[in-house]
Amino acid sequence: MNPPVIFIPGDWLGDTMAEALSGQGNQIVRGPAADEVPPHVDATALLPLLQRADVLVPTPGLRVDRALLQALPRLRAVVAPAIGVENIDVAAATELGILVAHGATPENFLGMAESTVMLIAALAMQLPYKQRLLAENAPRPRELFSRSVRGSTIGFVGMGRIARGVVERLRGWEAQLLYFDPYVAQEQAPAGTTRVPLDALLQRADFVSLHVTLTAETQGLIGARELSLMKTTAYLVNTSRGAAIDEAALCRALQERRIAGAALDTFAHEPLPPDSPLRAFVGSDHVILTPHIIGQGREAMDSLRTAIAENMRRILRGEPALYTKNPEVLARWQERVARLA
């Protein structure tokens, strides 16, 4: 009996993970090296490799759409390396009986929650400005415009796992917590939070923190109109998906100081293009930019590797993954697995 084939795109998981999976009796098929893959991978060019796969581990740049899924007759499952599955047509996979797993480990989303709190506090206390003073050996200013998070209003756009982790970590900070999420009723929300319409949240919050997945509803969710509703003293924090913000509108708002500043760990195009207008704010006193790694630490990365390996073991034994994104597929998936066997 031939060993199961797992497609790993390039160096995304590293040689150690590939060796660990191979040691389980699997055959590993590697794609092009990660540093050679463009932001949007051409699946057509990889099709001869992909068609051999029983399990596919795609990077975010590989669009796993319905057409690709239908072109992979052996495929049992798609395993996303991290939490995000925006590049995977989960509905099509479910219809076809293909299980979708991901890395929704506590270390992953709680690391993002810690990072979000850090960014809120760094903006409140003007950390970039104070770092610049030291770097330039400048005298202490006579007046500071820092503020305390205590007594402020923090608005969450989206109330998923990361946002809930932020709420938990802000307990005791004595801040008012608002949230907007059309899919989370007030009785389902964490204690101490208040559900409000998006416009009201934008008008009232001192810090607006985005925690959304990228869908047709959230694409460009924060645009010129929404930014105009924010206080001139308010900050925008985005650790979720870059395309949820109209970046051109945000650049104008920052340039004209219509909002106090922003902290962004994610962008519409990644890595952030050299000609992006946002790069004008690198090193500025009121904007923090990081390359979509703000919540990634040793524990999170170790947990993702462990989760992927465990997801693989379970899937290849015909069991649900440790973290299954589409649990409603299980009956249909077991039929597909039996048919492929």
Side-chain angles (χ1 to χ4, degrees), residues 63-65 69 85-96 98-100 325-329:
R63 179 65 185 163
V64 185
D65 56 17
L69 291 169
V85 294
E86 288 90 348
N87 60 312
I88 303 168
D89 189 336
V90 178
T94 302
E95 182 182 320
L96 295 168
I98 298 170
L99 186 145
V100 178
K325 181 66 177 177
N326 57 342
E328 66 275 17
V329 79

Side-chain angles (χ1 to χ4, degrees), residues 303-321:
S303 76
L304 291 180
R305 294 187 182 95
T306 300
I308 291 170
E310 182 60 23
N311 280 339
M312 292 290 185
R313 278 192 288 269
R314 296 189 182 205
I315 288 167
L316 295 174
R317 288 199 303 256
E319 302 171 3

Side-chain angles (χ1 to χ4, degrees), residues 8-336:
I8 300 175
D11 301 327
W12 178 258
L13 301 177
D15 293 335
T16 301
M17 175 55 68
E19 290 170 4
L21 293 174
S22 295
Q24 297 173 9
N26 306 311
Q27 180 184 352
I28 304 301
V29 174
R30 304 290 292 269
D35 57 1
E36 297 174 3
V37 174
H40 298 285
V41 180
D42 182 6
T44 304
L46 295 177
L47 200 56
L49 293 178
L50 297 174
Q51 287 179 326
R52 298 172 54 194
D54 295 284
V55 181
L56 169 61
V57 183
T59 59
L62 177 59
R63 179 65 185 163
V64 185
D65 56 17
R66 178 182 294 273
L68 180 59
L69 291 169
Q70 290 175 327
L72 307 181
R74 292 180 51 173
L75 193 65
R76 304 185 204 177
V78 181
V79 179
I83 290 180
V85 294
E86 288 90 348
N87 60 312
I88 303 168
D89 189 336
V90 178
T94 302
E95 182 182 320
L96 295 168
I98 298 170
L99 186 145
V100 178
H102 61 152
T105 66
E107 293 87 350
N108 192 1
F109 61 81
L110 294 181
M112 292 303 302
E114 291 178 0
S115 302
T116 302
V117 174
M118 175 189 70
L119 291 173
I120 290 171
L123 289 171
M125 288 295 177
Q126 292 188 299
L127 181 60
Y129 168 63
K130 293 172 180 175
Q131 285 183 307
R132 182 176 63 80
L133 292 178
L134 179 66
E136 296 177 356
N137 199 28
R140 289 187 179 184
R142 292 176 177 267
E143 185 177 7
L144 287 170
F145 298 96
S146 306
R147 69 175 73 171
S148 177
V149 177
R150 177 178 180 268
S152 67
T153 298
I154 301 173
F156 298 88
V157 181
M159 189 46 71
R161 279 173 294 215
I162 295 174
R164 290 170 186 268
V166 177
V167 169
E168 184 64 31
R169 276 145 190 77
L170 285 173
R171 295 195 190 283
W173 286 52
E174 300 179 43
Q176 182 181 17
L177 306 179
L178 309 177
Y179 82 95
F180 165 75
D181 191 320
Y183 304 103
V184 178
Q186 181 66 71
E187 59 270 20
Q188 299 171 316
T193 62
T194 302
R195 188 185 190 203
V196 296
L198 178 59
D199 284 5
L201 182 150
L202 295 170
Q203 291 167 338
R204 294 169 57 183
D206 299 299
F207 301 91
V208 175
S209 188
L210 301 191
H211 301 278
V212 298
T213 57
L214 192 59
T215 66
E217 292 176 287
T218 60
Q219 179 93 26
L221 179 65
I222 305 299
R225 189 191 77 85
E226 289 73 25
L227 291 165
S228 71
L229 296 176
M230 292 175 61
K231 302 176 184 178
T232 57
T233 56
Y235 292 94
L236 179 65
V237 178
N238 188 12
T239 56
S240 58
R241 292 296 179 261
I245 297 175
D246 180 337
E247 291 181 347
L250 176 59
C251 285
R252 290 193 296 271
L254 291 170
Q255 289 164 351
E256 298 169 10
R257 300 307 290 263
R258 287 189 274 113
I259 62 172
L264 309 175
D265 182 53
T266 179
F267 309 97
H269 300 285
E270 295 178 351
L272 186 64
D275 60 350
S276 169
L278 285 170
R279 286 195 176 271
F281 299 100
V282 172
S284 71
D285 290 345
H286 63 300
V287 178
I288 299 172
L289 303 175
T290 52
H292 209 160
I293 58 171
I294 194 67
Q296 292 183 10
R298 183 178 302 167
E299 297 89 351
M301 297 310 295
D302 287 347
S303 76
L304 291 180
R305 294 187 182 95
T306 300
I308 291 170
E310 182 60 23
N311 280 339
M312 292 290 185
R313 278 192 288 269
R314 296 189 182 205
I315 288 167
L316 295 174
R317 288 199 303 256
E319 302 171 3
L322 181 62
Y323 300 105
T324 300
K325 181 66 177 177
N326 57 342
E328 66 275 17
V329 79
L330 291 179
R332 191 173 298 174
W333 174 65
Q334 289 168 345
E335 293 174 2
R336 180 184 178 95

